[in-house]
């Protein structure tokens, strides 16, 4: 999944799983009281990626991030979410 510079991906109150995450846009949640989880990576993932955008709670209580698969996800943007960060076996998350 690519979130472009002026783009926003709104989780609302839903959990979402994607193969990769790239771009420089915003990942957020507009549902107050929600605690959605965004998961990046499948077992079959083969590309290391960088996301230079913002990951933020938005109106949600918190947004959680899970990294799965055997690739490297680098977060280089303004990451201010306050939910849990889970790194599954074999995964790498760089900040």
């Amino acid at each position: 999944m690519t979130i472009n510079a002026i783009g926003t991906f709104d989780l609302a109150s839903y959990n979402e799983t994607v193969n990769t995450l790239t771009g420089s846009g915003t990942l957020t949640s507009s549902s107050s009281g929600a605690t959605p989880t965004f998961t990046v990576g499948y077992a079959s993932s083969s590309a290391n990626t960088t996301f230079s955008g913002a990951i933020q709670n938005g109106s949600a209580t918190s947004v959680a991030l899970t990294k799965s698969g055997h690739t490297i996800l680098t977060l280089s943007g303004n990451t201010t979410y306050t939910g849990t960060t889970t790194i599954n076996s074999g995964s790498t998350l760089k900040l």
Side-chain angles (χ1 to χ4, degrees):
M1 163 185 258
T2 300
I3 306 173
N4 292 321
I6 59 171
T8 298
F9 184 77
D10 184 359
L11 292 166
S13 61
Y14 299 98
N15 297 328
E16 185 66 48
T17 300
V18 298
N19 190 30
T20 61
L21 178 63
T22 62
S24 57
T26 302
L27 174 68
T28 190
S29 177
S30 63
S31 293
S32 62
T35 55
T37 298
F38 189 75
T39 301
V40 179
Y42 300 132
S44 62
S45 298
S46 61
N48 297 331
T49 59
T50 298
F51 181 67
S52 60
I55 301 176
Q56 53 192 223
N57 294 338
S59 299
T61 302
S62 66
V63 169
L65 177 67
T66 299
K67 174 62 181 84
S68 294
H70 298 286
T71 58
I72 298 169
L73 172 62
T74 301
L75 300 178
S76 62
N78 187 14
T79 303
T80 60
Y81 71 96
T82 59
T84 58
T85 301
T86 304
I87 303 170
N88 291 332
S89 178
S91 295
T92 302
L93 179 65
K94 291 184 177 182
L95 303 175

